[in-house]
Amino acid sequence: MCNLYNLTATRDAVIEFTKAFTDKAGWNKPSLDVYPNTLAPIVRVGADGKREIVSATWGMPTPPAFIKGNYDPGVTNIRNVNSPHWRRWLGPTSRCVVPVTSFAEPDPASKVPDGRVPNVWFARNADRPLMFFAGFWTPWKGVRKVRDGEREFELYGFLTTSPNEIVSPIHQKAMPAILTTPEEVDLWLTGDWDEVKHLQRPLPGNMLVVVEPPVERGENLLL
């Protein structure tokens, strides 16, 4: 499953694509690698009805039956939308879009002895244009790390679906549900569930390619 992605895009590009009205995240890393339980920008509809960019922590609340110990590590990828646990967040007030330019899937077949499992990176094309994961968000109070104790969070995760022919040779179980047009973003953020559930589908194979890992870039590109 996807537990690493990268955002290399300007803030203005995200605002233009999503029609976001305000930026409350203030992120300014030109190449942002995002891992579980770290902060990253998402776009949602705010309390005033206007779209906003905010920072949230990657990993939605875990179904209680799967929590082991006295903390909740979170769930990054959401597949079974028929589960009672996830149904509470299917409405438009709990949906968000997650800006991304490339994402990684682990490739155990390429692991060398005593080495780490390498990642394979995917993007729309070699230029890595902006796209979005179809996501959910929620406020939450609880323990993410025992040493930090109970805290208040805003959490997010995103939908996955069956992999297309580009991803399946690397990861046979799933790939993120990806939105590639402003119209799809508009629909995901505003439509009823019956209107948007078809977006939980793999991209056609001609809309995704394997790319090299992201390269660090100069500071303040996103200001």
Side-chain angles (χ1 to χ4, degrees), residues 102-103 119-123 126 128 209-215:
S102 59
F103 66 93
N119 287 314
V120 173
W121 286 85
F122 302 91
R128 303 174 199 244
V209 300
V210 174
V211 294
E212 293 296 318
V215 178

mmCIF file of all heavy atoms in Angstrom, residues 102-103 119-123 126 128 209-215:
data_model
loop_
_atom_site.group_PDB
_atom_site.id
_atom_site.type_symbol
_atom_site.label_atom_id
_atom_site.label_comp_id
_atom_site.label_asym_id
_atom_site.label_seq_id
_atom_site.Cartn_x
_atom_site.Cartn_y
_atom_site.Cartn_z
ATOM 1 N N SER A 102 3.931 12.549 -7.183
ATOM 2 C CA SER A 102 4.364 11.164 -7.395
ATOM 3 C C SER A 102 4.143 10.386 -6.109
ATOM 4 O O SER A 102 4.105 10.952 -5.023
ATOM 5 C CB SER A 102 5.840 11.089 -7.831
ATOM 6 O OG SER A 102 6.694 11.676 -6.881
ATOM 7 N N PHE A 103 3.975 9.072 -6.249
ATOM 8 C CA PHE A 103 3.779 8.233 -5.069
ATOM 9 C C PHE A 103 4.576 6.952 -5.225
ATOM 10 O O PHE A 103 4.933 6.539 -6.335
ATOM 11 C CB PHE A 103 2.297 7.928 -4.830
ATOM 12 C CG PHE A 103 1.636 7.077 -5.877
ATOM 13 C CD1 PHE A 103 1.557 5.695 -5.738
ATOM 14 C CD2 PHE A 103 1.077 7.652 -7.019
ATOM 15 C CE1 PHE A 103 0.947 4.910 -6.700
ATOM 16 C CE2 PHE A 103 0.454 6.874 -7.988
ATOM 17 C CZ PHE A 103 0.399 5.494 -7.830
ATOM 18 N N ASN A 119 11.618 1.195 -3.140
ATOM 19 C CA ASN A 119 10.353 1.732 -3.638
ATOM 20 C C ASN A 119 10.407 1.914 -5.150
ATOM 21 O O ASN A 119 11.469 2.206 -5.718
ATOM 22 C CB ASN A 119 10.061 3.087 -2.997
ATOM 23 C CG ASN A 119 9.640 2.972 -1.550
ATOM 24 O OD1 ASN A 119 8.807 2.133 -1.201
ATOM 25 N ND2 ASN A 119 10.217 3.797 -0.693
ATOM 26 N N VAL A 120 9.252 1.769 -5.771
ATOM 27 C CA VAL A 120 9.066 2.177 -7.158
ATOM 28 C C VAL A 120 8.136 3.383 -7.133
ATOM 29 O O VAL A 120 7.111 3.382 -6.438
ATOM 30 C CB VAL A 120 8.457 1.050 -8.008
ATOM 31 C CG1 VAL A 120 8.121 1.554 -9.409
ATOM 32 C CG2 VAL A 120 9.417 -0.126 -8.086
ATOM 33 N N TRP A 121 8.483 4.425 -7.899
ATOM 34 C CA TRP A 121 7.722 5.674 -7.901
ATOM 35 C C TRP A 121 6.878 5.788 -9.165
ATOM 36 O O TRP A 121 7.314 5.382 -10.247
ATOM 37 C CB TRP A 121 8.665 6.872 -7.805
ATOM 38 C CG TRP A 121 9.246 7.041 -6.430
ATOM 39 C CD1 TRP A 121 10.346 6.418 -5.915
ATOM 40 C CD2 TRP A 121 8.744 7.888 -5.395
ATOM 41 N NE1 TRP A 121 10.562 6.831 -4.627
ATOM 42 C CE2 TRP A 121 9.595 7.737 -4.280
ATOM 43 C CE3 TRP A 121 7.664 8.773 -5.302
ATOM 44 C CZ2 TRP A 121 9.399 8.424 -3.092
ATOM 45 C CZ3 TRP A 121 7.453 9.467 -4.124
ATOM 46 C CH2 TRP A 121 8.314 9.286 -3.033
ATOM 47 N N PHE A 122 5.686 6.361 -9.005
ATOM 48 C CA PHE A 122 4.745 6.517 -10.106
ATOM 49 C C PHE A 122 4.285 7.973 -10.196
ATOM 50 O O PHE A 122 4.140 8.662 -9.178
ATOM 51 C CB PHE A 122 3.516 5.631 -9.893
ATOM 52 C CG PHE A 122 3.831 4.174 -9.760
ATOM 53 C CD1 PHE A 122 4.078 3.616 -8.512
ATOM 54 C CD2 PHE A 122 3.889 3.355 -10.874
ATOM 55 C CE1 PHE A 122 4.367 2.265 -8.383
ATOM 56 C CE2 PHE A 122 4.180 2.002 -10.758
ATOM 57 C CZ PHE A 122 4.427 1.453 -9.503
ATOM 58 N N ALA A 123 4.053 8.433 -11.423
ATOM 59 C CA ALA A 123 3.539 9.782 -11.662
ATOM 60 C C ALA A 123 2.689 9.750 -12.934
ATOM 61 O O ALA A 123 2.692 8.760 -13.681
ATOM 62 C CB ALA A 123 4.670 10.793 -11.806
ATOM 63 N N ALA A 126 6.403 11.954 -17.120
ATOM 64 C CA ALA A 126 7.755 12.296 -16.696
ATOM 65 C C ALA A 126 7.858 13.703 -16.116
ATOM 66 O O ALA A 126 8.785 13.994 -15.340
ATOM 67 C CB ALA A 126 8.719 12.144 -17.873
ATOM 68 N N ARG A 128 5.720 14.996 -14.054
ATOM 69 C CA ARG A 128 5.101 14.932 -12.724
ATOM 70 C C ARG A 128 4.089 16.051 -12.503
ATOM 71 O O ARG A 128 4.219 16.864 -11.573
ATOM 72 C CB ARG A 128 6.174 14.962 -11.622
ATOM 73 C CG ARG A 128 7.198 13.850 -11.767
ATOM 74 C CD ARG A 128 8.322 13.980 -10.756
ATOM 75 N NE ARG A 128 9.477 13.213 -11.169
ATOM 76 C CZ ARG A 128 9.975 12.160 -10.500
ATOM 77 N NH1 ARG A 128 9.416 11.783 -9.376
ATOM 78 N NH2 ARG A 128 11.024 11.506 -10.960
ATOM 79 N N VAL A 209 2.947 6.446 -15.214
ATOM 80 C CA VAL A 209 4.234 5.895 -15.629
ATOM 81 C C VAL A 209 5.127 5.719 -14.408
ATOM 82 O O VAL A 209 4.915 6.338 -13.362
ATOM 83 C CB VAL A 209 4.952 6.800 -16.661
ATOM 84 C CG1 VAL A 209 4.123 6.978 -17.918
ATOM 85 C CG2 VAL A 209 5.301 8.159 -16.044
ATOM 86 N N VAL A 210 6.133 4.872 -14.553
ATOM 87 C CA VAL A 210 7.174 4.728 -13.534
ATOM 88 C C VAL A 210 8.188 5.847 -13.720
ATOM 89 O O VAL A 210 8.605 6.141 -14.852
ATOM 90 C CB VAL A 210 7.853 3.351 -13.640
ATOM 91 C CG1 VAL A 210 9.038 3.258 -12.687
ATOM 92 C CG2 VAL A 210 6.840 2.239 -13.353
ATOM 93 N N VAL A 211 8.597 6.483 -12.620
ATOM 94 C CA VAL A 211 9.556 7.589 -12.677
ATOM 95 C C VAL A 211 10.668 7.349 -11.658
ATOM 96 O O VAL A 211 10.563 6.488 -10.785
ATOM 97 C CB VAL A 211 8.872 8.949 -12.387
ATOM 98 C CG1 VAL A 211 7.891 9.307 -13.490
ATOM 99 C CG2 VAL A 211 8.183 8.948 -11.024
ATOM 100 N N GLU A 212 11.723 8.140 -11.779
ATOM 101 C CA GLU A 212 12.807 8.097 -10.805
ATOM 102 C C GLU A 212 12.333 8.704 -9.478
ATOM 103 O O GLU A 212 11.376 9.491 -9.452
ATOM 104 C CB GLU A 212 14.018 8.877 -11.326
ATOM 105 C CG GLU A 212 14.687 8.247 -12.530
ATOM 106 C CD GLU A 212 15.278 6.881 -12.204
ATOM 107 O OE1 GLU A 212 15.879 6.748 -11.111
ATOM 108 O OE2 GLU A 212 15.126 5.966 -13.030
ATOM 109 N N PRO A 213 12.984 8.388 -8.358
ATOM 110 C CA PRO A 213 12.624 9.018 -7.087
ATOM 111 C C PRO A 213 12.727 10.535 -7.181
ATOM 112 O O PRO A 213 13.543 11.067 -7.954
ATOM 113 C CB PRO A 213 13.652 8.449 -6.101
ATOM 114 C CG PRO A 213 14.085 7.156 -6.713
ATOM 115 C CD PRO A 213 14.053 7.384 -8.202
ATOM 116 N N PRO A 214 11.911 11.257 -6.408
ATOM 117 C CA PRO A 214 11.971 12.725 -6.445
ATOM 118 C C PRO A 214 13.340 13.242 -6.020
ATOM 119 O O PRO A 214 14.043 12.603 -5.236
ATOM 120 C CB PRO A 214 10.889 13.150 -5.436
ATOM 121 C CG PRO A 214 10.019 11.961 -5.266
ATOM 122 C CD PRO A 214 10.887 10.756 -5.484
ATOM 123 N N VAL A 215 13.700 14.386 -6.562
ATOM 124 C CA VAL A 215 14.971 15.036 -6.255
ATOM 125 C C VAL A 215 14.716 16.260 -5.406
ATOM 126 O O VAL A 215 13.775 17.020 -5.656
ATOM 127 C CB VAL A 215 15.706 15.428 -7.558
ATOM 128 C CG1 VAL A 215 17.009 16.148 -7.242
ATOM 129 C CG2 VAL A 215 15.965 14.186 -8.406
#
